[in-house]
Amino acid sequence: MLRVGAHESIASGVHKAVNRQLEDGGNCGQIFTTSPRVWKDPDIAEEDVEKFRELSDENDVGPWVIHSSYLVNLCTPKEDLREKSIASMQKEVDAAARLGIPYVNVHLGAHTGAGVDQGLDNAASALDELDIPDGVTVLIESDAGSGTKLGGDFQHLADVLDRCDQDLDVCLDTAHVFAAGYDLSTPAAVDETMQEFDDVVGIEHLRCVHLNDSKHECGTNKDEHALIGEGLIGEDGMRAFINHEMIRDVPLVLETPTEDGKGFAWNIERVKELRE
């Protein structure tokens, strides 16, 4: 069964994300538990938790993913930022357990001069400080790889999984993968990129895909999402990826823009049309 949905708002209550997902035609999805641009803990009332769980179960919407704050930087050499990042992640995994959400997604962040190897060590050791509840898994997201950000290279993902004592998995973002230099624009390119991911990281670790087209060329390290099939990955690449045997059972979550009157509902329908 195709699992495709979008990153939905929790405005007026986290349970409202389920209603929005259904309106958009999705059956899985992603949320922020609070504003991702400030250090703020999730504040979700128990009644809202129960409504979210009930609506998701009744309508077979899931799995859900919590996306961590944009401020989290697991790779940082700065102790104060590291401590804030760990504390924020702990709140997110605890919120996931309350909501019955199986995944918390996080970017590795930037090493800001500490070096790639030290940055990866920092990330692994920060994740090891988390007390992750049963039933919740942290997903490391692939990155576009600009500046000193880590996660653009598949080897970065594999190294963190190897160095961390936690049981971690991975979320691939198609726009990020493309921007980082892994081509997805043709069926042959999709085959090659997915085989490399399997060889380096292991396809068994792929638990979620952020499905986005890209407004920039492959290898530019520029992270700007486009509508499905209307960016530089394009329709042929998106069709090949959506139907690739390695990801057919992986939930697809859209973080596409709203442009030309085309929002999440249009993009979800486009994915369904491209699925063979």
Side-chain angles (χ1 to χ4, degrees):
M1 179 180 181
L2 174 62
R3 288 285 170 179
V4 59
H7 183 120
E8 299 288 2
S9 167
I10 66 164
S12 301
V14 67
H15 69 281
K16 294 290 188 178
V18 185
N19 300 126
R20 293 182 178 105
Q21 196 67 258
L22 293 169
E23 290 171 4
D24 285 332
N27 59 6
C28 67
Q30 181 174 267
I31 59 171
F32 293 122
T33 60
T34 187
S35 170
R37 302 185 186 280
V38 296
W39 294 113
K40 185 178 180 182
D41 293 342
D43 183 17
I44 305 171
E46 191 57 36
E47 180 182 359
D48 202 10
V49 170
E50 292 175 4
K51 286 182 180 178
F52 176 85
R53 283 177 167 265
E54 287 173 4
L55 281 171
S56 294
D57 289 345
E58 288 170 4
N59 294 283
D60 189 26
V61 178
W64 286 94
V65 181
I66 290 175
H67 195 301
S68 64
S69 168
Y70 292 142
L71 301 181
V72 168
N73 186 346
L74 301 175
C75 294
T76 183
K78 300 175 182 178
E79 191 58 35
D80 58 339
L81 179 54
R82 174 185 171 88
E83 290 176 3
K84 286 182 179 179
S85 298
I86 293 169
S88 178
M89 284 297 295
Q90 187 63 56
K91 295 293 187 180
E92 299 290 19
V93 296
D94 290 342
R98 288 182 67 208
L99 291 162
I101 291 177
Y103 303 122
V104 174
N105 181 78
V106 64
H107 296 268
L108 291 175
H111 66 71
T112 62
V116 172
D117 197 56
Q118 185 60 56
L120 296 173
D121 274 345
N122 291 347
S125 62
L127 289 164
D128 273 337
E129 293 197 29
L130 297 178
D131 181 11
I132 302 176
D134 290 343
V136 177
T137 301
V138 172
L139 304 182
I140 305 300
E141 182 178 344
S142 63
D143 198 272
S146 63
T148 66
K149 290 181 180 178
L150 301 182
D153 190 319
F154 289 161
Q155 191 61 54
H156 296 168
L157 307 176
D159 286 347
V160 173
L161 265 60
D162 288 342
R163 297 179 193 192
C164 190
D165 291 332
Q166 305 275 17
D167 290 328
L168 307 173
D169 285 312
V170 170
C171 171
L172 281 185
D173 184 306
T174 51
H176 297 174
V177 167
F178 190 70
Y182 297 96
D183 195 5
L184 293 171
S185 62
T186 68
V190 170
D191 279 339
E192 183 177 348
T193 292
M194 293 310 298
Q195 187 58 59
E196 184 168 354
F197 177 83
D198 189 24
D199 291 343
V200 175
V201 181
I203 198 64
E204 68 275 10
H205 288 294
L206 183 59
R207 296 296 180 213
C208 179
V209 166
H210 287 169
L211 190 70
N212 304 295
D213 212 323
S214 175
K215 291 188 177 182
H216 299 282
E217 296 281 359
C218 183
T220 58
N221 302 119
K222 293 181 178 180
D223 177 13
E224 192 173 4
H225 298 177
L227 302 172
I228 299 299
E230 298 197 359
L232 291 169
I233 294 175
E235 184 176 314
D236 288 347
M238 277 290 164
R239 179 184 286 107
F241 184 86
I242 291 165
N243 290 290
H244 198 277
E245 61 181 1
M246 288 189 184
I247 65 97
R248 284 189 70 84
D249 296 327
V250 179
L252 309 175
V253 176
L254 302 172
E255 299 171 323
T256 46
T258 297
E259 295 175 344
D260 303 324
K262 299 171 181 176
F264 285 145
W266 183 91
N267 283 278
I268 288 171
E269 184 59 32
R270 190 76 181 104
V271 173
K272 293 176 180 178
E273 291 171 354
L274 292 173
R275 184 66 170 251
E276 298 169 351

